[in-house]
Structure formats: structure tokens, C-alpha cells
Amino acid sequence: IVRGGSAGGDLVKRVDDVREGFQVTDNLREMLLCEESENAELYSDEERTQFLWRLFEHICLGGPCCQYEDKLEPYLESAKKLYKELVAVQKNASTGKIEIVSTVFKVKSITTESGKVNLFPQYSRNSFCYVTVDPLRRLARLWYHAFIPFW
């Protein structure tokens, strides 16, 4: 995925392709979008369900008309900062270990008295609505994006 094998290296480019409305210009996006990619097995299904992975994937895929980065590091740093902003932690008094106290919800639709309300104009893997709840501060944070393919 990265030339040189480190996060600071350049993303390996590939022949341009369009998958699910996303422009695939490098091996990172190919890994995220193509199950048949030779890099698809670098991460397990369990790792791909983690909230941090979901943030990373959404940031990497971006919007319909975005300028992609040539290096992996900006994606990693952005995902890490966003994760720290959305998720609350505390130190466990008995073990001394840091524990996540937030609960993360992925909202796909809302049902009201008058029926179901769709949050997104059309389906896309990069249309999302996450709500994180910090029970200690009684604080809810929302991150929403409705992806509409340009191509």
C-alpha cells in the first residue's frame, strides 16, 4: 500500500478505476473498496468493524470531488484526531488502565410518528451518521456525511 513500508511513505499508485462512485487511484483505496484486492486481507474482519477503522475508511474515501493525499500519514493522523475528539476515555481506578467509556451508535434511519425518515438521499458506503455518547459528561457528538457520487 505504501512505498517504503512506513506511514510517511508515498501511497503506491495504480491505473485509475471507479468503484461504487469512488475514484480508485492507489492501492489504499483499492484495498478499501475491492474485496478481490491483493491487499484486502491485510486487516481482519474484526479490525474492519472497529470505530477507528470506520473513521479511517471514511476519511480515505472522502467526498465525490476531493483531492486525495499522496501519503498515508495525513489519513492516519486525521483519523486519530477525530477518534480522540469523538470518544471519551477514563482511567480505571482498580487496574490503572485506560478504558473507553463512550458508546458509539451508527444511525441508518429514524422512525417518527409519521413513519421512517431516511437520512441519506441514496445508498453509499460513505454515507454515515455516528452518534457517540459520553455518559460522564452527558454529552452526545454527531458526525454525519451524505455521499452523492459525482461520476
Side-chain angles (χ1 to χ4, degrees), residues 46-64:
E46 183 181 332
E47 289 172 312
R48 290 174 181 257
T49 62
Q50 299 294 316
F51 186 52
L52 180 58
W53 175 271
R54 302 299 309 156
L55 298 177
F56 173 73
E57 183 177 288
H58 291 312
I59 290 169
C60 290
L61 295 178

Side-chain angles (χ1 to χ4, degrees), residues 22 47 122 151:
F22 298 97
E47 289 172 312
Q122 63 188 54
W151 306 107

Side-chain angles (χ1 to χ4, degrees), residues 32 40 46 77 90 102 107-108 112 130 137-138 144 150:
L32 295 173
E46 183 181 332
E77 289 303 313
Q90 74 174 9
S102 293
V107 182
K108 296 181 180 180
T112 66
Y130 295 106
R137 289 196 238 152
R138 296 182 182 189
Y144 170 87
F150 181 75

Side-chain angles (χ1 to χ4, degrees), residues 105-112 115-120 127-131 144:
F105 299 95
K106 183 174 183 178
V107 182
K108 296 181 180 180
S109 65
I110 299 171
T111 304
T112 66
K116 185 177 176 181
V117 177
N118 290 323
L119 297 174
F120 314 107
S127 289
F128 57 84
C129 179
Y130 295 106
V131 178
Y144 170 87

Side-chain angles (χ1 to χ4, degrees), residues 49-90:
T49 62
Q50 299 294 316
F51 186 52
L52 180 58
W53 175 271
R54 302 299 309 156
L55 298 177
F56 173 73
E57 183 177 288
H58 291 312
I59 290 169
C60 290
L61 295 178
C65 295
C66 67
Q67 182 175 346
Y68 298 116
E69 295 291 337
D70 292 326
K71 298 190 179 290
L72 181 61
E73 189 173 23
Y75 295 119
L76 295 173
E77 289 303 313
S78 296
K80 195 183 317 181
K81 287 179 182 176
L82 186 57
Y83 185 81
K84 287 179 179 179
E85 188 67 32
L86 293 173
V87 176
V89 297
Q90 74 174 9

Side-chain angles (χ1 to χ4, degrees), residues 34-45:
C34 308
E35 290 180 13
E36 64 275 4
S37 167
E38 63 185 45
N39 297 309
E41 294 182 11
L42 290 176
Y43 299 94
S44 69
D45 290 339

